[in-house]
Amino acid sequence: MLVTLRHPSDADRVAAQLQALGLWTERLKSDSETRALLVRSDSAHVEPRAITAIDGVSAVWVPPTTHPKLDALAGAPVTVRGLTIGYGAPPVLISGPCSIESPEQIAESARAVRAAGGTILRGGAFKPRTSPYAFSGHGNPALGWMRDAADSAGLAVVTEVLSERDVDSVADYADMLQIGSRNMQAFGLLKAAGRAAKPVLLKRGMAATVEEWLLSAEHLLVAGASGVVFCERGLRSFDPSTRNLLDLGAVALLANVYRLPVVVDPSHAAGRRDLIQPLARAALGAGAHGLIVECHPDPAHAKSDGAQALDPRSLAGLADACHFASRENEGRS
Amino acid sequence: MLVTLRHPSDADRVAAQLQALGLWTERLKSDSETRALLVRSDSAHVEPRAITAIDGVSAVWVPPTTHPKLDALAGAPVTVRGLTIGYGAPPVLISGPCSIESPEQIAESARAVRAAGGTILRGGAFKPRTSPYAFSGHGNPALGWMRDAADSAGLAVVTEVLSERDVDSVADYADMLQIGSRNMQAFGLLKAAGRAAKPVLLKRGMAATVEEWLLSAEHLLVAGASGVVFCERGLRSFDPSTRNLLDLGAVALLANVYRLPVVVDPSHAAGRRDLIQPLARAALGAGAHGLIVECHPDPAHAKSDGAQALDPRSLAGLADACHFASRENEGRS
Amino acid sequence: MLVTLRHPSDADRVAAQLQALGLWTERLKSDSETRALLVRSDSAHVEPRAITAIDGVSAVWVPPTTHPKLDALAGAPVTVRGLTIGYGAPPVLISGPCSIESPEQIAESARAVRAAGGTILRGGAFKPRTSPYAFSGHGNPALGWMRDAADSAGLAVVTEVLSERDVDSVADYADMLQIGSRNMQAFGLLKAAGRAAKPVLLKRGMAATVEEWLLSAEHLLVAGASGVVFCERGLRSFDPSTRNLLDLGAVALLANVYRLPVVVDPSHAAGRRDLIQPLARAALGAGAHGLIVECHPDPAHAKSDGAQALDPRSLAGLADACHFASRENEGRS
Amino acid sequence: MLVTLRHPSDADRVAAQLQALGLWTERLKSDSETRALLVRSDSAHVEPRAITAIDGVSAVWVPPTTHPKLDALAGAPVTVRGLTIGYGAPPVLISGPCSIESPEQIAESARAVRAAGGTILRGGAFKPRTSPYAFSGHGNPALGWMRDAADSAGLAVVTEVLSERDVDSVADYADMLQIGSRNMQAFGLLKAAGRAAKPVLLKRGMAATVEEWLLSAEHLLVAGASGVVFCERGLRSFDPSTRNLLDLGAVALLANVYRLPVVVDPSHAAGRRDLIQPLARAALGAGAHGLIVECHPDPAHAKSDGAQALDPRSLAGLADACHFASRENEGRS
């Protein structure tokens, strides 16, 4: 955003008034006179009309929006099988195992999620794995196991789609499609997933800017998605003491300034089971509209990510600490 | 940490039991047999004796601690002019202007901090400035103004020391010395500051690992500091939408696992005034033992960082949202 | 890698001998005795047998390889339409426009590439675009234009595939498929691309570790790719003065230690046209087996990335500075 | 930089002409008309007068320079004891041990450096160490040993100063003072070092932007330094396969666009001895005006950083590969 000045001599006074609004500015000169103040992108969000009202301001020049469809959804929660997520709705708890391993394991997980006050079941039928030799999920059969488990427990279903060819079958079983962080800018997959015309849970890429994240959501909306729930799961970090670097500033920005639905995954962010509960509380403090947490009936025998999965009792403890049980039915319409 | 195995054939079973404890492991082989499991550093904190108790484990090999003095202080809060900060103590609110500009400005700030439930006054007499041409503080005279303002309002004082030559005068006036993020590994300054034998507020460097941060605290303790309060203020970020990337995972780690005193500076983390309150709530959710927030009686005329400073009313609103007023006297001994 | 000791008392001496080999070590203790030395991953590459030869070493424990198919290709160049790229082969110049805009534009580009000593034509028929509203390529028709242009100029063809549904048509026209940095871990696309049984140019993700990059290549090889040429194009950077951060350490590692084929894209790394030539020379100095450079017959009217494209004369100047013309036919078999 | 337009309708045409110059632009609108084009900071360097010459451009608005003293030195090499470093001078080789351990060790090192074609001896009398328990140098006595060794071998001397209190003694012995990366923004130390009125080797902080680096040099010049030689040694990396991430884009920018003296430290960048030579060649390819490389007469017994130090034979090999021997006397005036 650029603020042009009526007279170069107004620069100091206008800069002070912009500062009072929470705006950082840099001067632009021509013929050694300050003609304009460039507003830095780490400034508070201020409507242009509040700026043009300042005496001495000639005009406010803004870049055109890059995501008009998303802008039109600001302040509106996303609906997933009758459940609302986002601005104005109570936080939701999404939970389940990393991988769907058997009908029994996912059913037991679903009961634990329900008991903890969760409303959406997560679980991987198709798993993105860094190594081609790691267990990558039971695929289509697991989708059916998961749907049955969720229906029995009265939960909605979210699950990741990894390949364009699986979009139709995933969309048949899931209430919300998940795009993983490694696919946040896999535009072929985004288009295919959007065409399913369902809500999409869009995980942030491990080094994606907020602007890139918003634009990937715009890709989904243009292709036909009925809504986008953003999910922050931590950025690539240089510090081996935690696996990823949870960016709650971005969460606060989406929830409070953009008023877009955003949930947080503290399990992947930390990698460490002993940090999940404090990070869950932190996420809700920042304004997150929900949590997505890994749980497993028996973490010792989980086929993937067991070291970060919570057992049912720990999940219930987390939900208590975050007051989910008491909120359970508020968000149902 | 390395877990050696009695028999290579125990590898799967032992790995599962370690996974149940929240430990990620990688195999180390010799003669195509798995002889040991290397525990990744993003695993949960587990005492070695819980591991040696597992059947099939031969031994647990650990690296020697690198910060014995700091380890000895785990679980013990730091005392600043009779006020306790850290494990077991209620959160503290530290606030004040970026720069101390005049006796009146700092006095007015002190009253605002006190009114909001704050207990420590912050303010810069010596300011680290990226540019040599920017206002760098009023120096020694400002220290006296600050002391008077704090005494009148019944607050303790923390202020930054930038140069070895200023340590004595800063220590004469302040109850706690601050080392800024740009000086976190300026070892000459750390030694000089430690010799003042006072508590030190140690800001994390903008790309420092937690281990480096702890070792800089060890430098201070070896030199004589009476205690160290860690301060997270955000890491260098690639995303222009916020100024820094607040690492609440590190805060959760210090507060919950290491049980060391840690406070959070949401003002510098975000740069944006509209994100300070959500990040403050997030910090307390993660377990932070306090907040350090910039305020100014008249942000429009602040000589530095006005765009991120809160006015007295906004500071009071933040303190209310974080329940500081009600906690005010709990931490006083 | 872990080096276990015959006697704890050997620790200092063995550590010194490992240091002489270029290995950084950290001690692991049990019962306050040093039982083993853990070799840090930023150490020089040393064969285990050179370590077991040290007096006092009991054993060397190594993690199993994670990419056996790739390991088997170390030291072997990849063949693209009779042209060899990699260890032992002279560097190649790959060039062409960001987007294929018309039959004339790509034909003119191909002539410029050939004139500069290039051997492979690049150009986008399917373009990954951060915004859904940006020009995303002419698609299938452009593939034919490109093939004709390359055939007329005697060049091979590499072009990006963005969607699983386009793999077959791209493979019909291209000699090498390109996977873009945003898709480096889009495993659905990797599997589909690998099944085309052609060589693949695999760009590194903007925050991917070298290990993750190698594992994505392993995904391609497992799926059937005939070879993988790695391409470094810069990592996500916090510094706005360049667009990305070119990691020539990773290039040196692949070229000199792993002996895998690796090329460098200085155009995307810098974003700035005035840095392309120095970065091209730097890449070859680090051991890169080729360069991939954007050129356009008329950069002022390029539909994408014109600000970083070289015109034919600048491309020829770059090729001269890097001595490509004189090497042109060396690599042809 | 901002380019304002005579008529909003000129936007497309002017943007194309700016693109032809290597400039990326973004539109700024007012009343839905494009009034100006904002030039992104990752654009090529172009003089404003080349832009005002474009038809349809109304004016070019630029931010005032932040480092006028440094700007005045563009294109001028720095002189260190009669040796010139920088734009127009042949590259220099700076080498020596991490720590100065004894008169014999530094004398032997000096002979090796001289034999390899080096002209400046480096070595640490005061060592910054992450841990307070690590060897931190022999201090003042080591300065004398180093001066004698350099004088005998006919070399100049550069050594790090860590504390304000040591500036005078270091300046008595050294021809150039070194500021380490951890102190790049330790402004108290910068002021003290600048007052010594000598040339300063300024290492880049591990997450510093180029702009911050230039401003720290401006701090030194304002305080009185006779010149600044920049030194890139790698940025903080998330990838454990190398220790740091060498930013040769920044080197190319300083050497080719800003025309400021810049050298590269490939030893600390890689951490791995097997990557030093390729990174040294890469640095010279990017335009670096010199290299700073660790060597030690007996790396197995080095007190610090032995795993990355070259022995005299390897140093000679590196110097040969980089053609230093043949350039040795060219730079002497």
Side-chain angles (χ1 to χ4, degrees), chain C residues 124-144:
Chain C
F126 302 97
K127 297 296 309 168
R129 298 307 296 264
T130 304
S131 163
Y133 305 113
F135 174 65
S136 61
H138 284 297
N140 283 315
L143 293 172

Side-chain angles (χ1 to χ4, degrees), chain D:
Chain D
M1 194 157 61
L2 187 94
V3 178
T4 59
L5 302 170
R6 274 190 210 290
H7 305 289
S9 56
D10 290 336
D12 286 344
R13 192 175 42 73
V14 173
Q17 289 186 260
L18 294 174
Q19 179 173 306
L21 295 171
L23 304 182
W24 302 92
T25 56
E26 287 165 14
R27 281 146 197 266
L28 289 177
K29 297 197 168 192
S30 179
D31 304 328
S32 79
E33 299 269 28
T34 300
R35 304 286 173 177
L37 299 166
L38 188 62
V39 177
R40 275 174 26 193
S41 54
D42 57 347
S43 295
H45 176 78
V46 173
E47 289 296 329
R49 62 177 172 272
I51 296 169
T52 48
I54 295 173
D55 188 44
V57 168
S58 159
V60 175
W61 297 354
V62 294
T65 181
T66 54
H67 32 71
K69 286 184 178 283
L70 196 61
D71 293 353
L73 297 176
V78 166
T79 302
V80 179
R81 204 181 179 88
L83 182 79
T84 52
I85 306 177
Y87 194 74
V92 295
L93 176 62
I94 306 169
S95 187
C98 175
S99 301
I100 304 165
E101 296 166 6
S102 68
E104 295 72 30
Q105 174 248 20
I106 188 70
E108 201 172 333
S109 299
R111 288 189 294 269
V113 172
R114 177 67 195 216
T119 45
I120 304 182
L121 182 65
R122 55 146 290 161
F126 301 97
K127 298 296 309 167
R129 299 306 297 265
T130 304
S131 163
Y133 305 113
F135 175 64
S136 62
H138 284 297
N140 282 316
L143 293 172
W145 308 339
M146 189 187 198
R147 183 75 263 171
D148 289 346
D151 287 346
S152 297
L155 301 172
V157 161
V158 61
T159 194
E160 179 164 355
V161 58
L162 262 189
S163 169
E164 298 167 48
R165 63 168 68 179
D166 298 323
V167 167
D168 288 345
S169 53
V170 169
D172 279 350
Y173 288 98
D175 303 304
M176 179 159 58
L177 276 61
Q178 178 177 319
I179 296 290
S181 56
R182 288 168 185 78
N183 285 317
M184 192 200 88
Q185 292 190 310
F187 301 113
L189 182 61
L190 292 183
K191 275 185 200 169
R195 280 193 289 262
K198 294 218 160 189
V200 177
L201 183 83
L202 180 65
K203 288 199 157 188
R204 181 178 179 191
M206 64 186 173
T209 61
V210 167
E211 174 73 6
E212 289 168 338
W213 199 13
L214 299 177
L215 281 167
S216 285
E218 189 80 4
H219 269 280
L220 288 166
L221 294 172
V222 166
S226 68
V228 177
V229 176
F230 294 85
C231 177
E232 164 68 26
R233 43 76 76 192
L235 300 172
R236 177 63 85 189
S237 167
F238 57 86
D239 192 340
S241 61
T242 47
R243 189 169 338 150
N244 294 296
L245 214 163
L246 191 62
D247 183 5
L248 291 180
V251 172
L253 186 62
L254 263 67
N256 296 283
V257 178
Y258 293 144
R259 297 180 298 142
L260 290 167
V262 58
V263 300
V264 169
D265 174 349
S267 306
H268 283 85
R272 302 175 58 130
R273 199 185 288 163
D274 51 7
L275 299 186
I276 294 175
Q277 189 164 308
L279 288 179
R281 287 194 312 257
L284 296 173
H289 302 116
L291 299 177
I292 177 162
V293 178
E294 284 196 7
C295 72
H296 193 284
D298 179 9
H301 296 96
K303 282 198 174 179
S304 56
D305 283 6
Q308 76 191 16
L310 300 181
D311 62 22
R313 209 166 68 166
S314 303
L315 179 67
L318 172 84
D320 268 2
C322 295
H323 309 294
F324 273 105
S326 55
R327 290 169 181 145
E328 184 193 354
N329 293 307
E330 292 177 55
R332 296 193 170 271
S333 60

Side-chain angles (χ1 to χ4, degrees), chain C residues 107-254:
Chain C
E108 200 172 336
S109 299
R111 288 190 294 269
V113 171
R114 177 67 194 216
T119 46
I120 305 183
L121 182 66
R122 56 146 290 163
F126 302 97
K127 297 296 309 168
R129 298 307 296 264
T130 304
S131 163
Y133 305 113
F135 174 65
S136 61
H138 284 297
N140 283 315
L143 293 172
W145 307 339
M146 188 186 199
R147 183 75 263 171
D148 290 345
D151 287 345
S152 297
L155 301 172
V157 161
V158 60
T159 194
E160 178 165 356
V161 59
L162 262 189
S163 168
E164 299 168 47
R165 65 168 68 181
D166 297 322
V167 168
D168 288 346
S169 53
V170 170
D172 278 350
Y173 287 98
D175 302 304
M176 178 158 59
L177 277 61
Q178 177 177 320
I179 296 290
S181 55
R182 289 169 185 76
N183 284 317
M184 192 201 88
Q185 291 191 309
F187 301 113
L189 182 61
L190 293 184
K191 275 185 200 169
R195 280 192 289 261
K198 293 221 162 187
V200 177
L201 183 83
L202 179 64
K203 289 201 156 187
R204 183 179 180 189
M206 65 185 170
T209 61
V210 167
E211 174 73 7
E212 289 168 339
W213 199 12
L214 299 178
L215 282 166
S216 285
E218 188 81 5
H219 269 281
L220 288 166
L221 294 172
V222 166
S226 69
V228 177
V229 175
F230 294 85
C231 177
E232 164 67 27
R233 43 75 77 192
L235 301 173
R236 177 64 84 189
S237 167
F238 57 86
D239 193 340
S241 61
T242 47
R243 190 173 334 154
N244 294 296
L245 214 162
L246 191 62
D247 183 5
L248 292 181
V251 172
L253 187 63
L254 263 68

Side-chain angles (χ1 to χ4, degrees), chain B residues 297-313:
Chain B
D298 179 10
H301 296 97
K303 283 198 171 179
S304 55
D305 284 6
Q308 74 190 16
L310 300 181
D311 62 21
R313 208 166 68 166

